[in-house]
Every structure is written in C-alpha cells, then in structure tokens.
C-alpha cells in the first residue's frame, strides 16, 4: 500500500508539471463560460437554463471522454515508450501497486473535469426555477453520467495500452467511442433494420433518450433511475476491466498473492455487473416490447399491386387530415371522477351525455377508449349492452336512439396507462409521482365515435417493421366537461385544457378535449389565453404568444375562421412533435423557442391548409405563399409579394404569370390584395379535388363577382 501511495504521489507531481494537461480543464471552463454568458445576456429567455445546459453537456462530455481516454493510454504506456519501464521492472514492485497507482491518478484527473462541470452546473442551476430536490437530482445525474463514463474509458485505455505496445493503442479510444455512440447519435426515434435499439445500451454513459435528457416541466425524472442503474453497471465493468489488465500485465512478475486475489476480485465484480446490466436490459426490453405490441395492434400493410398505388399509400401516412372522421353523434357533457393511482394506474367513474345529431334512428352508438383500460360497469336509463373490442366500445340499445335525442351513460373503467413512442425511448402517457401526462391521444377518457388513436403502417426498413404516429383527433362539436381528480402520493400541480375552478376540480367547454398535465409549471394568462409553461420560459412565451395573438386576430378578421386558442401548453420537442397535429383552434402546443414572423406565418397557414403536398398543384403553392406573406406582412412590413417570392422561391425558368397576376392586385392596395387572397382561399377550400385549383380561372370568377 505504501508503494502504491508513492506511485500515486509521484504520478500526481508529474501531472501537475505537465502544462498540456491543464488545457482540457481550461477548455471545459471556457466552453461552459460561453454557454452561460450567451444565455444570460439574452434579454428574454425562450428556454430553461437546464435545457440549455444539457444541450451542451452531451457534446462537451464526448470531447472529455476522448481526452480522458487518450490520457489513460498515455499514463499506462509512457514509461514503456521512454524505456523507463525496463528499469522499473527490476524494482520490487507488485503489478497491482504499479498499475493501480497510475490508474487512480488518471481517475483523479477525470474527477477534476467532473468537479468543474458539477460546480458550473450547481452554481448556474441555483438561479433556475426548480426545487432543491430537483437541483440535487440534476447534480447527481451529471455526476454519475460523467464519472461512470470516465471510470470505464480509463480502464479500457489501460487495457489497450498494455495489450498493444505501439502508438496504434491511441486509435482504439476514438474507435470505441464511435462504435458505441454511432447508432444512438444516428437515430431520430426509429431504428433501422440493421440497428437493433437494444445495442444502444452499450454506451459509456446512459444515452437512451432522444436529443436531450431534459424534458421541460418534467426535468430529468424520466431518465434518472435508469441512468443510475446503467452507470452502476458501467462502474463495475470498469473495475472488472482494470482487473483483467492486472491479469495480463507482466505475468512473470505476479506474486502468489496477486495470482490468488485477481481471479476472485474479477468474479466478485463480474457477477453484479451482469445482474445490473440484465436489470437495465429488461427495463428497456419491456418498453420496446410495449411499443412493438402497440404497433402490431394497429399496423396496416400495403394491399395494392402497382407503384402508383404504393406511393399513394405511403404518402397517406403523413396526411393527418385523413384521421378526421365526422360522426353524427356528439358528446354534449362529460363528467369524470378520476383517481390517479400508483404504478400508472387510473380509476375513473364517468357520466356521459350523448346526442344524436343525425337524421336517422340507430341502435348502436360507438365510443373510443384506450384498450388498456377495462370497463367495470356500463349502464344507462335506457336498456343498453356494452362490448369492448380493442379501442372501440359498442353501445347497443334495445330502443332506437331517435334524431335529436339525448341519453346519459355511466361508464366505470380502470387500468394502466403507460404508453411508449419512438422505439420505446419516449413515454407518451404516464402517471408518476413527479410527472403526469395524459394527452387526449392516449384515449384516457371516452371519445365519441370510432376514432383511431394510433396510425401505423408496415415499414420493412425499420427494426420494429412498422412506423407509428399519434392520430389527429379533432372533434366536430364542443363538449362541456367537469373533472374531479384525486391522487395518491402526488403533489405536483395539475393543469387541464379546461380551467381549474377549485383545487383538483376543473370545469369548462372545449372542442379540443382534455389533456392532463402535472409537473413543474406555471400558469398565466396572456390576454384571454391560458398559458401553461415552465416558470423560466413564461416571460419569453408571453412575448411569442403576443405575436401569435396578433396573427390570430388578423386571420380571424381577414378570413373569418376561428384561430385563437383558449389554452396553450409549452412542451419539450419530443412531446411537441407528438401532439402538434392534434391541436385545433381551441388548443395550441408550442416549443420553448423563439420563432420569427415567417415561422409563425407558415405554422398558422399550415393549420388552415392541412393537405397532402402531392394533392395540390403549383397554383395552390403560390396561393399558400401569398397567405404566408400576408400574415408576416401584418406582423412586420415586408417587401412586395412578388419581390419576396422571387427572392425565396423562384427558380430560373419558372413561369411567373400567376405571381404577376397577384402582384397586379397588390399594386391596387393592401385591402384589395387581402380580398383577393381571401376569395382564392375560400374558393380552394370548396373544391372537391384540390388539383383542379386554377388561379387564373378563380381570378376571372372573382372579377365577375366583384362587378356585380
């Protein structure tokens, strides 16, 4: 032990004298200084401090891993390369003392980098809007991610430095990083058939998430426990690797004590490594299995036999407007008594008032409810039998439901809601102590009609053999909601897409429906709109939403269509991408980011013209661009439409006849141009076949009507 201390002390002195080894430490400080200063000097923040921190953390960690791994190779091989080892082997020094002394000082160097990152993180996030408990969890998360990764990479560096007695040993560290991280950094939620997502567990730090571990109002709670498990296995594996290194280093110099101890130590650490790795593997295996099972339940295959119908079938997957299925019945009232239980369980007593808005009397009425929720009781004043098939509930009445007739229905159901998307990386719906999310798309309460909750199609190039997305669920009629919520061991604030009238009681009318949220958020009003967002982004969100409001008001006055929502959720990228196509004018979803005028204009225009890009011709695209220009011009004055179009979209050789026709109206005045675009938009919406849209013909018709 004294010899090991001496080696540790001497190697430490050599490190301190090596000026080049201070460069990585300074680089870390400078990088974090740049990240923090560039954020703090912004007058308005659109992202949380933690979100910005983790966006940079992953990339800086990768650089640190490369540096520390190369230093490990250097520490293990520098004596051999300087011929000093030939003298050392004559000393009375045990292999374990020699290797472990050097290994420990290298680990200390990695710890210095970790401490710098932790100190920066702790000081910066101290000013963030999070509890002390969340602040501490963030520090723990960063510590285990960095130290676990450094621990293993340093051990691997020593192993390869001993196995390969040449400069080629230095190539193995970047090679290992590329091999272990290439697949995870390549995916965007869908692993290809050659990329088994289970292999994404084979990384020096836990990277089983998409983009960033941070999820806005839910922080890092969803990854913390799994990361602790993953990195515990990594640390044990790092010890096992350094023990193997001792087993291979200078075998003829091993003492009898080392010969007996090393195999025992190796066994002691290999067994818990396998156990912890197995537990972590089973965790992800369960999530992936649930995702695959969901996809297999909904997946549809191509039934045609020609290329044209195949391409049409492929493109239809992205046509969210096709998910809207009008139904002659409406849900007039929905009263829910919701009990949020432990382990993602939910227990609901619901009272529904349904009306027949059609012209025919029927015996069967259909509802949609997630198939994981099982009906315990179903009753009505009218004689009814209820049957459940997957997500669909059939209500069969002995007496026919007449046109205009209403009936009440009581449904008691319970079950587990834990749904996954994107190869099991994202929890689509969950009920946890620190976070709750039950989006409407999860089907957690009864929806009227037979509604697809999920759209999935066969895809032979993906590992799961299908691709899957949430369906777009848009209601034909508004519903009056009353929701009472009770919960076990959960203290996070709750928000629904209807207002809260008292603690855990919500009431209101919505045509969108219900999405339940629980986490670290703040609710404020911007004008008449309720905004639910992380406390740090409320100010930035207000600035963006005020510009949205200006655009919404303009479009409502201009086109006569409802646009302004009653509630806005601001969610992280993953959940924004899952829900953005389900929003309607009653509910809106934003990401925590700044948007310029044209981004807002394109987004709002797309909300009005949700059509397959292949289902429209060039005339429509020019009309679409004119609508975008009108919205952006209202937010901030732009150059003329023709100039804007030519600078952004025109390609040499393109016929500009239609653009020039529109420009002629703009020259007559802004009000004239607004009227023309409005007329063309409504003309297009009334067409059965959008490919028939002809702007010249529509303008001639407009001229004829304007002269009357």
């Amino acid at each position: 032990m004294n010899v090991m201390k001496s080696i540790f002390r001497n190697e430490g002195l050599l490190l301190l004298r090596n000026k080049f080894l201070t460069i990585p430490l300074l680089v870390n400080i400078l990088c974090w200084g740049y990240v923090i200063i560039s954020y703090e000097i912004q007058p308005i923040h659109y992202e949380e401090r933690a979100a910005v921190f983790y966006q940079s953390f992953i990339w800086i960690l990768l650089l640190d891993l490369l540096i520390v791994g190369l230093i490990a190779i250097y520490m293990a091989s520098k004596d051999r390369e300087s011929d000093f080892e030939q003298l050392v082997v004559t000393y009375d020094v045990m292999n374990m003392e020699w290797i472990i002394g050097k290994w420990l000082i290298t680990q200390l160097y990695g710890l210095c980098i970790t401490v710098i990152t932790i100190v920066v993180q702790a000081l910066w996030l101290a000013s963030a809007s999070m509890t002390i408990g969340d602040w501490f969890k963030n520090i723990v998360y960063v510590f285990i991610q960095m130290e676990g990764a450094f621990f293993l990479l340093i051990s691997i560096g020593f192993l390869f430095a001993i196995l390969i007695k040449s400069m080629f040993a230095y190539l193995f560290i970047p090679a290992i990083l590329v091999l272990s991280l290439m697949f995870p950094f390549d995916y965007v939620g869908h692993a290809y058939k050659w990329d088994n997502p289970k292999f994404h567990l084979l990384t020096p730090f836990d990277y089983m998430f998409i983009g960033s571990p941070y999820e806005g109002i839910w922080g890092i709670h969803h990854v913390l426990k799994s990361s602790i498990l993953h990195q515990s296995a990594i640390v044990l594996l790092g010890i096992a690797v350094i023990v193997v290194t001792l087993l291979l280093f200078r075998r003829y110099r091993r003492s009898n004590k080392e010969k007996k101890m090393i195999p025992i130590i190796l066994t002691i650490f290999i067994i818990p490594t396998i156990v912890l790795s197995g537990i972590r593997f089973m965790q992800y295996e369960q999530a992936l299995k649930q995702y695959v099972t969901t996809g297999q339940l909904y997946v549809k295959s191509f039934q045609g036999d020609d290329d044209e119908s195949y391409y049409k079938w492929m493109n239809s997957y992205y046509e969210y407007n096709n998910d809207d299925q009008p139904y002659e019945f409406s849900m007039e009232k929905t009263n829910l008594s919701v009990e949020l239980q432990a382990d993602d369980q939910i227990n609901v007593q619901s009272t529904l008032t349904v009306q027949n808005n059609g012209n025919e009397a029927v015996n069967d009425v259909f509802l949609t409810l997630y198939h994981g929720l099982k009906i315990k009781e179903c009753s009505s004043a009218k004689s009814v039998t209820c049957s459940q098939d997957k997500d669909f509930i059939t209500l069969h009445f002995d007496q026919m439901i007449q046109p205009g007739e209403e009936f009440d229905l009581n449904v008691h159901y319970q079950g587990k809601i834990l749904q996954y998307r994107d190869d099991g990386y994202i929890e689509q719906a969950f009920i946890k102590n620190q976070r709750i999310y039950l989006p409407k798309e999860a089907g957690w309460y009864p929806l009227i009609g037979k509604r697809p909750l999920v759209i999935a199609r066969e895809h032979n190039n993906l590992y799961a053999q299908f691709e899957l997305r949430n369906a777009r669920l848009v209601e034909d009629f508004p519903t009056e909601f009353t929701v009472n919520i009770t919960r076990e061991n959960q203290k996070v604030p709750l928000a629904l897409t209807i207002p809260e009238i008292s603690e855990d009681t919500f009431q209101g009318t919505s045509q969108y429906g219900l999405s339940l949220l629980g986490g670290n958020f703040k609710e404020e009003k911007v004008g008449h709109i309720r905004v639910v967002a992380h406390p740090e982004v409320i100010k930035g969100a207000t600035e963006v939403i005020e510009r949205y409001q200006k655009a919404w008001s303009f479009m409502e006055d201009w086109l006569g269509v409802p646009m302004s929502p009653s509630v806005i959720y601001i969610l992280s990228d993953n959940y924004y991408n899952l829900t953005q196509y389900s929003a309607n004018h009653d509910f809106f979803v934003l990401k925590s980011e700044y948007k310029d005028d044209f981004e807002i204009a394109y987004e709002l225009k797309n909300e009005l013209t949700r059509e397959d890009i292949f289902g429209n011709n060039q005339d429509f695209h020019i009309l679409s661009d004119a609508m975008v220009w009108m919205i952006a011009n209202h937010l901030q004055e732009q150059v003329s439409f023709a100039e804007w179009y030519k600078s952004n979209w025109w390609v040499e050789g393109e016929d500009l006849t239609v653009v020039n026709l529109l420009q002629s109206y703009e020259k007559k005045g802004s009000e004239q141009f607004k009227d023309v675009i409005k007329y063309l938009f409504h003309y297009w919406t009334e067409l059965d076949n959008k490919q028939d849209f002809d702007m010249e013909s529509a303008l001639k018709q407009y001229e004829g009507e304007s002269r009357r």
Side-chain angles (χ1 to χ4, degrees):
M1 184 62 70
N2 289 331
V3 175
M4 187 184 300
K5 289 181 180 178
S6 178
I7 295 171
F8 179 85
R9 183 171 59 252
N10 291 333
E11 291 294 340
L13 288 172
L14 291 174
L15 274 180
L16 287 173
R17 293 170 183 170
N18 192 332
K19 297 178 181 179
F20 291 102
L21 293 181
T22 61
I23 294 176
L25 305 179
L26 293 174
V27 167
N28 272 264
I29 294 172
L30 291 174
C31 286
W32 286 118
Y34 172 79
V35 171
I36 293 171
I37 292 171
S38 61
Y39 176 86
E40 294 296 341
I41 62 174
Q42 296 174 6
I44 296 179
H45 299 140
Y46 300 95
E47 291 183 295
E48 305 91 314
R49 287 174 174 84
V52 176
F53 174 85
Y54 286 110
Q55 288 168 9
S56 302
F57 171 69
I58 299 300
W59 299 104
I60 295 176
L61 177 57
L62 284 174
L63 176 62
D64 289 338
L65 284 173
L66 177 63
I67 292 170
V68 170
L70 295 177
I71 289 174
I73 298 279
Y74 165 76
M75 291 294 293
S77 60
K78 66 187 180 74
D79 293 333
R80 182 182 65 243
E81 292 169 359
S82 65
D83 296 328
F84 180 65
E85 193 178 48
Q86 296 176 16
L87 176 62
V88 172
V89 296
T90 65
Y91 294 173
D92 186 18
V93 180
M94 295 172 62
N95 281 353
M96 186 177 295
E97 294 170 336
W98 181 253
I99 293 296
I100 296 300
K102 289 172 167 288
W103 180 76
L104 286 174
I105 197 64
T106 312
Q107 293 288 357
L108 180 61
Y109 182 81
L111 181 62
C112 290
I113 296 177
T114 302
V115 168
I116 289 173
T117 307
I118 293 293
V119 169
V120 169
Q121 179 198 24
L123 293 175
W124 196 29
L125 296 192
S127 59
S129 297
M130 62 176 63
T131 64
I132 294 177
D134 288 345
W135 175 80
F136 181 72
K137 287 177 182 178
N138 278 272
I139 291 173
V140 170
Y141 175 79
V142 169
F143 179 81
I144 62 172
Q145 288 281 58
M146 295 188 72
E147 272 306 293
F150 289 158
F151 205 88
L152 178 60
L153 259 291
I154 290 170
S155 297
I156 290 175
F158 271 71
L159 176 62
F160 280 109
I162 287 167
L163 287 176
I164 304 172
K165 296 178 173 57
S166 70
M167 295 295 289
F168 288 106
Y170 288 92
L171 298 177
F172 275 83
I173 294 299
I176 288 171
L177 289 175
V178 169
L179 287 174
S180 65
L181 294 170
M182 178 176 65
F183 290 155
F185 269 88
D186 183 55
Y187 70 68
V188 287
H190 302 289
Y192 291 99
K193 60 183 179 181
W194 43 265
D195 177 16
N196 189 326
K198 297 170 189 176
F199 288 138
H200 297 172
L201 289 166
L202 302 177
T203 52
F205 61 94
D206 187 27
Y207 192 64
M208 294 299 286
F209 51 82
I210 297 177
S212 168
Y214 182 78
E215 290 190 336
I217 64 171
W218 299 305
I220 58 163
H221 293 290
H222 75 299
V223 298
L224 183 59
K225 290 181 179 178
S226 59
S227 294
I228 290 174
L229 193 61
H230 184 280
Q231 294 306 92
S232 297
I234 287 293
V235 169
L236 291 172
L237 179 61
I239 295 174
V241 170
I242 198 63
V243 172
V244 170
T245 304
L246 293 172
L247 197 64
L248 299 175
F249 181 69
R250 301 289 181 182
R251 300 181 184 182
Y252 62 87
R253 294 183 64 236
R254 289 205 301 263
S255 65
N256 290 330
K257 185 178 179 180
E258 285 180 334
K259 290 177 181 178
K260 294 177 181 178
M261 286 180 60
I262 290 176
I264 295 173
I265 295 172
L266 185 61
T267 303
I268 289 173
F269 285 101
I270 282 291
I271 293 174
T273 300
I274 294 173
V275 171
L276 290 177
S277 300
I279 295 172
R280 179 69 183 101
F281 177 84
M282 292 304 296
Q283 278 185 344
Y284 177 62
E285 171 75 10
Q286 185 179 7
L288 181 60
K289 183 179 179 180
Q290 200 264 20
Y291 169 76
V292 171
T293 301
T294 300
Q296 291 174 344
L297 180 68
Y298 298 99
V299 69
K300 295 182 179 180
S301 302
F302 175 61
Q303 302 297 328
D305 55 4
D306 62 276
D307 291 343
E308 184 177 350
S309 57
Y310 175 72
Y311 287 121
K312 185 177 181 180
W313 174 78
M314 282 190 65
N315 293 325
S316 67
Y317 175 80
Y318 304 102
E319 295 177 12
Y320 289 82
N321 58 297
N322 289 342
D323 302 345
D324 301 342
Q325 299 180 3
Y327 190 51
E328 292 182 338
F329 282 77
S330 62
M331 191 73 72
E332 295 296 304
K333 294 182 181 179
T334 295
N335 296 331
L336 303 175
S337 294
V338 181
E339 182 184 0
L340 302 175
Q341 302 173 333
D343 302 324
D344 298 302
Q345 296 285 331
I346 187 173
N347 185 19
V348 182
Q349 294 277 359
S350 64
T351 301
L352 315 173
T353 301
V354 181
Q355 178 174 315
N356 183 358
N357 298 313
N359 299 318
E360 297 181 2
V362 297
N363 289 105
D364 293 335
V365 180
F366 302 103
L367 302 177
T368 299
L369 186 70
Y370 173 56
H371 62 270
L373 302 173
K374 303 305 178 185
I375 295 177
K376 301 297 181 182
E377 183 183 354
C378 180
S379 62
S380 175
K382 300 173 71 70
S383 180
V384 64
T385 57
C386 303
S387 59
Q388 188 173 17
D389 179 25
K390 298 179 181 177
D391 292 334
F392 304 136
I393 300 172
T394 301
L395 309 175
H396 181 76
F397 292 90
D398 293 339
Q399 297 179 351
M400 300 188 80
I401 306 299
Q402 301 298 322
E405 183 179 355
E406 283 188 356
F407 65 87
D408 291 334
L409 181 74
N410 298 312
V411 182
H412 174 209
Y413 59 90
Q414 66 181 67
K416 186 172 185 177
I417 293 189
L418 179 58
Q419 302 172 6
Y420 291 93
R421 295 291 181 266
D422 293 342
D423 286 347
Y425 303 127
I426 297 176
E427 290 179 349
Q428 135 88 2
F430 46 83
I431 305 168
K432 305 288 186 183
N433 288 339
Q434 299 294 329
R435 53 196 182 93
I436 298 168
Y437 188 47
L438 295 179
K440 176 186 177 181
E441 299 80 12
W444 66 279
Y445 68 94
L447 303 171
I448 194 70
K450 282 189 173 182
R451 315 289 292 282
L453 298 177
V454 171
I455 304 297
R457 71 165 179 194
E458 189 178 74
H459 197 303
N460 295 331
N461 290 328
L462 296 180
Y463 172 81
Q465 296 294 293
F466 61 82
E467 58 182 340
L468 178 155
R469 65 169 172 85
N470 287 351
R472 180 172 186 251
L473 302 174
V474 178
E475 307 299 330
D476 300 309
F477 305 95
T479 302
E480 183 181 328
F481 290 99
T482 300
V483 183
N484 296 292
I485 300 176
T486 59
R487 40 188 171 156
E488 298 178 1
N489 302 322
Q490 293 164 343
K491 299 179 181 179
V492 295
L494 298 177
L496 267 171
T497 42
I498 54 176
E500 186 175 22
I501 59 172
S502 61
E503 186 176 2
D504 291 342
T505 300
F506 303 81
Q507 192 173 74
T509 300
S510 172
Q511 190 163 337
Y512 163 76
L514 300 177
S515 284
L516 177 63
L517 203 64
N520 178 25
F521 66 80
K522 186 176 181 181
E523 182 174 322
E524 287 191 359
K525 273 206 165 186
V526 179
H528 65 277
I529 301 174
R530 293 170 50 233
V531 180
V532 177
H534 192 282
E536 284 186 60
V537 301
I538 279 289
K539 185 177 180 182
T542 299
E543 193 269 345
V544 172
I545 291 169
E546 285 173 348
R547 289 164 53 232
Y548 268 100
Q549 275 188 314
K550 186 177 179 182
W552 282 323
S553 298
F554 168 72
M555 294 174 73
E556 288 174 342
D557 293 339
W558 171 36
L559 300 174
V561 293
M563 293 294 298
S564 182
S566 58
V567 61
I568 293 175
Y569 284 175
I570 298 182
L571 302 177
S572 60
D573 287 4
N574 292 335
Y575 294 93
Y576 167 82
N577 294 332
L578 288 175
T579 61
Q580 62 172 321
Y581 293 108
S582 288
N584 63 4
H585 69 271
D586 195 35
F587 171 65
F588 204 70
V589 184
L590 284 176
K591 291 191 289 185
S592 297
E593 65 176 13
Y594 173 80
K595 292 192 174 183
D596 64 28
D597 294 339
F598 278 102
E599 286 178 308
I600 292 174
Y602 274 110
E603 187 174 354
L604 299 189
K605 186 275 301 181
N606 289 338
E607 188 178 342
L608 290 179
T609 60
R610 292 187 190 276
E611 295 289 330
D612 173 22
I613 59 173
F614 300 102
N616 291 290
N617 55 26
Q618 181 62 20
D619 280 11
F620 167 77
H621 290 303
I622 294 174
L623 169 61
S624 176
D625 292 330
M627 292 176 65
V628 169
W629 180 87
M630 284 294 304
I631 300 168
N633 188 62
H634 179 74
L635 294 175
Q636 185 174 345
E637 188 174 353
Q638 308 289 327
V639 297
S640 70
F641 170 68
E643 289 181 64
W644 174 80
Y645 182 87
K646 291 175 183 177
S647 63
N648 286 276
W649 304 112
W650 181 72
V651 293
E652 189 174 353
E654 179 186 353
D655 185 2
L656 292 176
T657 302
V658 174
V659 175
N660 292 329
L661 274 174
L662 287 180
Q663 180 66 13
S664 66
Y665 287 97
E666 186 186 358
K667 291 179 179 178
K668 296 177 182 179
S670 59
E671 291 302 317
Q672 178 80 33
F673 194 52
K674 281 171 61 179
D675 288 342
V676 168
I677 301 302
K678 176 182 177 180
Y679 179 87
L680 293 173
F681 168 71
H682 288 296
Y683 179 91
W684 170 83
T685 57
E686 293 170 1
L687 290 174
D688 293 328
N689 184 1
K690 306 303 183 187
Q691 286 284 2
D692 291 338
F693 179 67
D694 185 311
M695 192 176 294
E696 291 189 54
S697 175
L699 288 173
K700 289 179 182 178
Q701 189 170 320
Y702 168 78
E703 289 290 345
E705 293 183 10
S706 63
R707 293 192 186 102
R708 293 176 187 174

